[in-house]
Amino acid sequence: MEPTLKKIADPTLAEMGKNLKEAVKMLEDSQRRTEEENGKKISGDIPGPLQGRIQNIGEQGHIALLGHSLGAYISTLDKEKLRKLMTRILSDTTLWLCRIFRYENGCAYFHEEEREGLAKICRLAIHSRYEDFVVDGFNVLYNKKPVIYLSAAARPGLGQYLCNQLGLPFPCLCRVPCNTMFGSQHQMDVAFLEKLIKDDIERGKLPLLLVANAGTAAVGHTDKMGRLKELCEQYGIWLHVEGVNLATLALGYVSSSVLAATKCDSMTLTPGPWLGLPAVPAVTLYKHDDPALTLVAGLTSNKPADKLRALPLWLSLQYLGLDGIVERIKHACQLSQRLQESLKKVNHIKILVEDELSSPVVVFRFFQELPGSDPVLKGVPVPNMAPSAVGRERHSCDALNRWLGEQLKQLVPASGLTVMDLEVEGVCIRFSPLMTAAVLGTRGEDVDQLVACIQSKLPVLSCTLQLREEFKQEVTAAAGLLHVDDPNWPGIGVVRYEHANDDKSSLKLDPEGEKIHAGLLKKLNELESDLTFKMGPEYKSMKSCIYIGMASDDVDISELVETIAVTAREIEENSRLLENMTEVVRKGIQEAQVQLQKANEERLLEEGVLRQIPVVGSVLNWFSPVQASQKGRTFNLTAGSLESTEHTYVYKVQGTGVTPPQTPSGTRTKQRLPGQKPFKRSLRGSDALSETSSVSHIEDLEKMEHLTGGPEQDVLETSSPEPHPGAPTLQDTEQTGALQNGAQRPEDDRPQVEELESLR
């Protein structure tokens, strides 16, 4: 760079340069001392509630922050020295930026808000095209309405911001769609744009300004700058370009589409994120020959504070130098290319910017082609697929990609990933190192770690996606369970148990159902399986459900659904039994009180009134004691009735009552191998013993037991009465069954076994 701190001749600039050298030296000494003591770089931590939340900004960040303090110090100089200093800083910074980004003979406007520069450019275009605007104001615009053209892939809210800043109605904005047939679906459709311009001219409107993208905000695609420039020159439209790909203009090799952006009328640069500089303003470079119009539009100012905005950037550019600036931008582009090349080798990962070799933005998503899957994911139409199935498959992949993005952000925080929702592709993950690498310090090892994490998560995603439809079918076929479609849940699925008193037509809160689902969640978590269970939804506006998480291995869905159904049914029955028992106990207490009251009345009648008088009753009881039997009541919970305690006092034993029948088990316990967790398929890829084969195997064991004559047969012979002379004996029956076993078919064995069971 031509002007440096050593070449400053003015005494004020020389003194300021000396102070800056001392400040930089202090920073270097402080960093060296900190590295020697702690072995770490300057952390930037400060005491108090912000401790640990300030990122490591490095030396260049401290230089940029120093520029703000230095600007406040410079503003105290006298006006003449301040004017010379501000002019020098502004001209040097403008010259450096124009040379670095190949924008010759341009002017610069420094602004804090990134969109502010475009608003000023629109104001300049209005003053340039409407000569009487200063005198007549909006009357001129009313007679010939201006039109601002924005791409459909532009930043959200950009058009509304421009209308609010310029005081224009929303019909002055024209949204240009992107390509639908040929080319990228995130590039502006040039042919359709030309048609819109011709239609606006025929309606008496004035095409004013076109905002093109050199790297869209979503996926980093670049519009066809050469064709757009020709169209704007033909119709006299101001062409403004913005986007992250403008940073590649500083490199030695630049793609033709981005290089054509240097011929535009204006462009907006954001060197702060590109170079990792905090609190550095954005810059809008433009070309215009009339200083009066630029002053009216607000692109130039006589205020010292406006001109001093360039001071932090002026210091940072000198500190980094041209080589440092190019190295940072080149490093970010190499990171994106490294990730793109690695993801091409990973299955089930789709890259959305494969044709954009020069784009420093990589956008990818997980996809898996399943029978009848989303045609958007396959890239071919599926006419036999219902729209509901298409939407369901799209939502399933969106939820899985959202989960994948959040997991990768936690595992590799230095990657700076962003999860976004695109209109056509759905939820995708974006890697934009130009906006994050300089600040987060992203390295090539971080990219390799990111690819390794993606590969480790793919089996979970594939397994979960395959089990979703099977889970829905099993839940639909199970009695008492309802499958709930939640497009935002990335797990296997969501299920709800419908109890007996469930109002299916209402979506209001259900206290009884919430109690059952809470107990079900506790039981499922106690199984210690690899699946995660949670209760939802988070916003208690609907009934409670059980959310089943991701599956890392092959899961036996039928066993899972059966366990949920049986466990929920047992919880409901136990709850109902407890409620019934409470009611029985309450009624039993009331009945006991009534019977005790009757017993007291009978005792009074039996003993007489004289025995109740204190003195007379004692004398009477002494001469003639009452032989009263001890009567009481006991409550039988099994029978739910009151019983007399007379049997207990007479025989000195407590009655056993009625033994309750054993509660039958609702499900068959699955045989598991040692160490095998619940819901795991023990034999994957091959059918295990079916129910028919296992039943026949049990029948064979029973018949062998009968034929071997075990101890049960001896007990049966000794305890059975003597048979009728004409009836066959048990031994004859067994021999007959054994002889007929070889002649009959296997299905004829079951009646024989049942007959033996009845005899046993």
Side-chain angles (χ1 to χ4, degrees), residues 158-222:
L158 181 60
Q160 183 179 1
Y161 173 82
L162 293 177
C163 289
N164 293 337
Q165 293 295 319
L166 302 173
L168 297 176
F170 289 119
C172 292
L173 295 176
C174 182
R175 182 184 175 92
V176 183
C178 296
N179 296 325
T180 55
M181 298 295 296
F182 304 101
S184 171
Q185 296 183 349
H186 299 274
Q187 289 180 347
M188 191 183 302
D189 192 342
V190 182
F192 199 88
L193 171 63
E194 187 175 6
K195 180 179 180 300
L196 291 175
I197 293 174
K198 292 180 179 180
D199 294 342
D200 290 335
I201 293 176
E202 293 177 357
R203 295 172 185 172
K205 298 181 179 181
L206 178 64
L208 181 66
L209 184 138
L210 171 64
V211 181
N213 293 305
T216 56
V219 297
H221 284 204
T222 303

Side-chain angles (χ1 to χ4, degrees), residues 439-460:
V439 178
L440 300 177
T442 310
R443 301 173 300 173
E445 293 78 5
D446 298 323
V447 175
D448 297 338
Q449 183 185 359
L450 178 62
V451 176
C453 291
I454 293 175
Q455 293 176 340
S456 65
K457 298 297 180 182
L458 285 180
V460 181

Side-chain angles (χ1 to χ4, degrees), residues 358-496:
S358 60
S359 175
V361 180
V362 179
V363 179
F364 61 94
R365 65 169 292 162
F366 162 78
F367 83 105
Q368 187 171 1
E369 295 184 0
L370 296 175
S373 63
D374 192 345
V376 175
L377 301 176
K378 285 187 174 183
V380 294
V382 182
N384 298 329
M385 192 173 184
S388 59
V390 174
R392 184 170 62 252
E393 196 70 29
R394 163 75 178 271
H395 288 314
S396 299
C397 288
D398 287 350
L400 294 177
N401 280 281
R402 191 176 292 108
W403 176 85
L404 176 62
E406 296 298 331
Q407 290 290 317
L408 295 177
K409 287 166 63 177
Q410 295 178 5
L411 295 175
V412 193
S415 61
L417 296 177
T418 305
V419 180
M420 57 182 181
D421 192 355
L422 301 180
E423 184 177 357
V424 179
E425 292 84 359
V427 176
C428 300
I429 305 170
R430 179 179 62 195
F431 176 68
S432 182
L434 259 178
M435 303 299 293
T436 59
V439 178
L440 300 177
T442 310
R443 301 173 300 173
E445 293 78 5
D446 298 323
V447 175
D448 297 338
Q449 183 185 359
L450 178 62
V451 176
C453 291
I454 293 175
Q455 293 176 340
S456 65
K457 298 297 180 182
L458 285 180
V460 181
L461 296 170
S462 301
C463 186
T464 302
L465 188 60
Q466 293 175 357
L467 295 176
R468 274 175 171 262
E469 191 63 29
E470 182 183 356
F471 177 78
K472 182 178 180 180
Q473 295 176 359
E474 291 288 343
V475 171
T476 305
L481 296 182
L482 176 65
H483 184 268
V484 180
D485 287 327
D486 191 346
N488 297 322
W489 178 247
I492 295 179
V494 185
V495 63
R496 189 177 79 217

